[in-house]
Amino acid sequence: MQAGLEAIGVAVPDTYVELADLAMARGVAPGKYVEGLGVTRMGVPLVDEDTVTLASRAARMALESAGCSPEDVGLLVVGTETAVDHSKPVASYVQGLLGLSTRCRIFETKHACYGGTAALQLALDWVRSGSAKGRKALIVCSDIARYGVGTPGEPTQGAGAVAMLVSDTPALLALEAGKTGVYSKDVMDFWRPLYSKDALVDGHYSVQCYLDALEGAYRAYQEAAAEPVGEGAYSDRFAALVYHVPYGKMSRKAHRHLRTLDGDAAPDASFDRLVGNSLVLPSQVGNIYTGSMYLALASLLSTAPQDLTGQRVGLFSYGSGSCAEFFSGVVQAGAQERVKALGLEARLSRRRALSIPEYEDVMRAREHLDERPVADAAGSGFRYQGTRDHKRIYAT
């Protein structure tokens, strides 16, 4: 049975910080952040936005773009590493805010940035096995990447969510059954202790772990696909490659490594052709953890000038700790028009820039977000209002 992405939705904070401004405020040359990371802006959520509100907004966009009724969703999984409760899953809040059926299986997955892909693969198996019985799965990747003011990781922050409607009628991307390669290894490259709101990362080591995982998953994919190698680079059989993008420059490192594995003597020469369009949106949002690769996929389908219909796309997902997966899908007719109709670039252009003092005030206020008393939330859409009797309250 065919399975894949029927629709996609994206949500980002209404506010952002220019990385050039942040660099100057930290006494750093702007080029070190902008060109060095491959990011121009990073999304910064205000106190009325959190993992739940971002997930709900993205999910609503996906459902509405497909004309899907909440009753048609039989499985809801939220992949996140920035959950709002140690027990109650983000999926429960999303179910309530969207008005999904009580006959919908819901839960949350966690494995650093890989959690959303783990959920997606489970959903694909659910559909292909026939257990879905015609219903659809809603997979949401939602996170707020936070490292703290003045820390080395500060310019690699971001926030956002990507929701994917998975079904047996994939109008966007048909994901190829059996063509997937997995690599996992116990490493300490990135983690967030229970006592800390801020993540810890061993930067150089994490990059190497990412590249090792890419090599392992890519080799496993080739074995699983069992296709003749042929002449030229193996990766040339893909019309585009979409990598996990904690920051844009990581995609360049990843692509260089993958093409070198293919025996390409000029690995950077194909970067713009195979990867460039996938980085347009991520460069304006920053790191969104579980949703990073899927934001890059949305970017590819939204901004690529060439017709990708019938073309194969390679996808690489990495989560620290670690687990990685390389898999592939075929772009469906009309997919690019459907994603372009979401107006994602226009939505990003309507955000408001924060000054550095405003940004620092927001970061201080978010330190106490979980204890914030209930207050009316201005604006439209899903908003976090605060807590009452230790319960999170949301506005719709």
Side-chain angles (χ1 to χ4, degrees):
M1 182 183 292
Q2 190 177 28
L5 308 187
E6 182 178 341
I8 198 166
V10 174
V12 298
D14 297 330
T15 46
Y16 68 90
V17 165
E18 293 279 1
L19 252 64
D21 293 345
L22 181 64
M24 289 187 286
R26 301 294 178 254
V28 175
K32 183 176 180 179
Y33 285 1
V34 178
E35 284 81 29
L37 294 173
V39 179
T40 58
R41 296 171 174 175
M42 66 181 192
V44 177
L46 300 181
V47 294
D48 59 353
E49 293 183 290
D50 67 3
T51 304
V52 170
T53 62
L54 291 167
S56 299
R57 286 167 52 202
R60 183 172 60 185
M61 179 188 288
L63 292 176
E64 289 180 349
S65 68
C68 177
S69 166
E71 294 293 322
D72 293 334
V73 178
L75 175 66
L76 166 65
V77 190
V78 176
T80 184
E81 56 183 292
T82 52
V84 298
D85 191 284
H86 287 306
S87 181
K88 183 174 180 176
V90 171
S92 289
Y93 292 103
V94 174
Q95 179 194 30
L97 290 171
L98 295 179
L100 300 186
S101 169
T102 56
R103 295 187 176 183
C104 179
R105 180 179 294 147
I106 60 169
F107 57 96
E108 183 178 292
T109 54
K110 181 187 76 174
H111 185 130
C113 298
Y114 177 75
T117 298
L120 173 62
Q121 294 296 341
L122 180 146
L124 292 169
D125 289 343
W126 180 69
V127 171
R128 291 172 182 144
S129 70
S131 295
K133 298 179 181 178
R135 302 181 79 190
K136 307 172 192 293
L138 184 58
I139 305 303
V140 189
C141 308
S142 183
D143 273 304
I144 296 172
R146 172 191 170 104
Y147 296 97
V149 173
T151 66
E154 184 181 24
T156 62
Q157 297 178 110
V162 179
M164 296 166 284
L165 194 64
V166 179
S167 75
D168 57 4
T169 55
L172 301 184
L173 190 70
L175 292 163
E176 298 182 286
K179 293 184 178 180
T180 179
V182 173
Y183 177 92
S184 61
K185 186 177 181 181
D186 180 12
V187 296
M188 286 294 290
D189 60 327
F190 172 101
W191 65 103
R192 183 168 67 87
L194 291 175
Y195 56 78
S196 176
K197 286 184 176 293
D198 299 337
L200 303 174
V201 60
D202 185 340
H204 293 295
Y205 181 53
S206 189
V207 169
Q208 189 57 54
C209 289
Y210 179 116
L211 297 177
D212 290 345
L214 170 60
E215 180 171 348
Y218 185 52
R219 294 301 191 204
Y221 173 89
Q222 292 174 313
E223 293 177 16
E227 297 173 339
V229 175
E231 297 182 0
Y234 184 92
S235 53
D236 278 336
R237 66 192 60 205
F238 301 107
L241 289 165
V242 180
Y243 297 99
H244 171 54
V245 194
Y247 51 91
K249 203 62 172 287
M250 189 66 240
S251 287
R252 185 172 291 277
K253 293 177 182 178
H255 188 70
R256 182 179 298 139
H257 187 59
L258 184 141
R259 294 291 290 193
T260 299
L261 293 173
D262 280 346
D264 188 348
D268 291 336
S270 60
F271 181 80
D272 288 342
R273 172 173 61 89
L274 291 175
V275 186
N277 293 117
S278 70
L279 301 181
V280 175
L281 301 184
S283 70
Q284 301 175 57
V285 177
N287 191 0
I288 63 170
Y289 288 163
T290 53
S292 293
M293 188 197 76
Y294 300 101
L295 180 61
L297 174 61
S299 179
L300 170 69
L301 295 176
S302 180
T303 67
Q306 73 273 29
D307 183 6
L308 295 172
T309 301
Q311 300 296 304
R312 179 183 284 174
V313 174
L315 304 136
F316 175 67
S317 176
Y318 174 76
S320 293
S322 64
C323 189
E325 191 156 355
F326 192 102
F327 55 110
S328 58
V330 176
V331 179
Q332 302 298 286
Q336 290 166 271
E337 289 73 17
R338 288 185 175 90
V339 178
K340 288 175 183 177
L342 298 176
L344 299 178
E345 290 181 277
R347 290 172 185 265
L348 293 185
S349 70
R350 292 195 292 268
R351 296 175 298 166
R352 179 174 70 86
L354 295 175
S355 67
I356 299 305
E358 286 178 314
Y359 152 71
E360 292 175 346
D361 286 344
V362 168
M363 292 295 284
R364 280 190 291 269
R366 291 190 67 86
E367 285 285 347
H368 307 286
L369 195 66
D370 295 334
E371 300 88 34
R372 176 185 173 218
V374 171
D376 290 336
S380 59
F382 304 113
R383 297 290 171 184
Y384 170 62
Q385 292 183 297
T387 59
R388 181 190 298 123
D389 298 328
H390 307 287
K391 301 173 185 177
R392 298 178 80 88
I393 307 297
Y394 291 92
T396 59

